[in-house]
DNA sequence: TTCCGGTCCA
DNA sequence: TGGACGGGAA
């Protein structure tokens, strides 16, 4: 059994159980970028509130949010938690997007993915998961997003060692899967779904999990 | 109390 | 490698 077929089997099982996920709902690619920072180690619920606050303030517009004072930005994103930290990280990302493409994300999307990824990772506060989320969901580039759920599921299934790092886990998928942004994006979304509904930290629910039959 | 759609720094 | 950052929901 080739790794590609194993992964496709996992994907099919999750897709059959859940259907395609409505992952990363956002009106604009720019909103995805903002949400990607806000959701760092944070439940999506709070991110929704923060995004809603920003929208009320007209600050889902790149130039408007970029012109906000730090305290004002902190106030608006407060419900997402880590608000002082994230206000600074958001600022850093906005500085980058302004300098690199003047907020014309299409320009980034037309460039080499590895180059753009490297630049995103240079931004303080943008780690690999946030960078890949921006690449995949905002720029529609074929980058696979790895998160804690992904690694937990793979290690519990004996597909990767528990201590596999981010890049190794990402390559595990990207080396064998078709570079289709919509597919890679939904694959990640399915894993997150299984991760927080079944493959929990404590109470794993393998008996009812869509991936339960793959356990050896 | 735990956990979340992480990352940086000492 | 461990701690800090933080609100909100279960």
């Amino acid at each position: 059994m080739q790794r590609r077929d194993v992964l496709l089997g996992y994907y099919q099982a999750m897709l059959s159980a859940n259907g395609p996920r409505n992952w990363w709902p956002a009106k604009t690619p720019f909103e995805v970028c903002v949400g990607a920072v806000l959701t760092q180690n944070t439940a999506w619920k709070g991110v929704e509130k923060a995004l809603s606050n920003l929208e009320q303030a007209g600050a889902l517009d790149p130039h408007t949010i970029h012109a906000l004072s730090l305290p004002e930005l902190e106030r608006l994103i407060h419900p997402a938690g880590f608000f002082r930290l994230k206000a600074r990280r958001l600022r850093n990302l906005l500085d980058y997007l302004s300098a690199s493409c003047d907020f014309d994300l299409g320009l980034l999307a037309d460039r080499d993915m590895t180059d753009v990824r490297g630049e995103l990772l240079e931004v303080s506060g943008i780690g690999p998961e946030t960078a890949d989320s921006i690449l995949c969901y905002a720029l529609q580039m074929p980058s696979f997003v790895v998160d804690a759920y992904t690694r937990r599921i793979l290690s519990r299934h004996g597909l990767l060692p528990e201590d596999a790092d981010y890049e190794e886990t990402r390559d595990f998928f990207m080396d064998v899967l078709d570079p289709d942004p919509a597919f890679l994006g939904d694959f990640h979304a399915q894993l997150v779904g299984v991760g927080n509904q079944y493959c929990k930290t404590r109470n794993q629910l393998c008996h009812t999990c869509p991936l339960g039959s793959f356990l050896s």
Side-chain angles (χ1 to χ4, degrees):
Chain A
M1 193 75 155
Q2 297 299 306
R3 186 200 308 168
R4 172 184 162 83
D5 298 313
V6 172
L7 290 178
L8 290 178
Y10 273 60
Y11 178 67
Q12 276 308 319
M14 294 188 288
L15 183 62
S16 301
N18 300 325
R21 312 271 304 173
N22 181 27
W23 193 244
W24 223 299
K27 293 194 184 71
T28 64
F30 179 73
E31 185 180 333
V32 175
C33 298
V34 174
V37 170
L38 294 180
T39 198
Q40 291 173 352
N41 198 39
T42 298
W44 185 252
K45 196 71 182 176
V47 178
E48 283 183 326
K49 288 201 189 96
L51 288 171
S52 166
N53 287 347
L54 289 169
E55 184 172 30
Q56 299 303 311
L60 281 181
D61 166 70
H63 294 97
T64 305
I65 190 175
H66 199 200
L68 249 33
S69 70
L70 224 36
E72 180 64 359
L73 186 54
E74 291 173 358
R75 187 180 69 75
L76 292 169
I77 68 174
H78 191 264
F82 300 130
F83 55 91
R84 280 179 284 266
L85 184 64
K86 286 175 180 173
R88 279 180 274 122
R89 291 181 174 179
L90 225 29
R91 233 349 147 59
N92 296 339
L93 177 60
L94 295 171
D95 288 344
Y96 166 71
L97 293 177
S98 173
S100 65
C101 66
D102 193 22
F103 299 112
D104 182 353
L105 298 184
L107 293 179
L108 289 184
D110 285 338
R111 293 178 46 204
D112 178 76
M113 181 169 80
T114 305
D115 290 347
V116 177
R117 187 171 193 266
E119 292 176 6
L120 284 169
L121 291 175
E122 293 284 308
V123 178
S124 178
I126 307 298
E129 182 174 344
T130 306
D132 288 327
S133 295
I134 291 171
L135 291 173
C136 184
Y137 299 109
L139 303 181
Q140 303 290 309
M141 294 169 103
S143 196
F144 188 82
V145 179
V146 171
D147 70 339
Y149 293 133
T150 308
R151 293 150 93 168
R152 192 154 76 214
I153 293 168
L154 291 192
S155 69
R156 284 181 177 173
H157 281 246
L159 295 174
L160 270 183
E162 205 170 344
D163 60 353
D165 68 15
Y166 187 97
E167 299 299 328
E168 181 181 359
T169 308
R170 179 173 181 260
D171 289 344
F172 184 81
F173 289 86
M174 290 188 61
D175 284 349
V176 297
L177 296 178
D178 298 333
D180 171 3
F183 167 60
L184 296 180
D186 192 55
F187 202 146
H188 166 70
Q190 298 287 355
L191 288 169
V192 172
V194 164
N196 67 29
Q197 293 171 58
Y198 302 97
C199 206
K200 303 163 182 280
T201 342
R202 297 238 190 331
N203 291 326
Q204 309 79 304
L205 307 172
C206 306
H207 35 282
T208 51
C209 178
L211 300 179
S213 63
F214 293 97
L215 288 167
S216 39

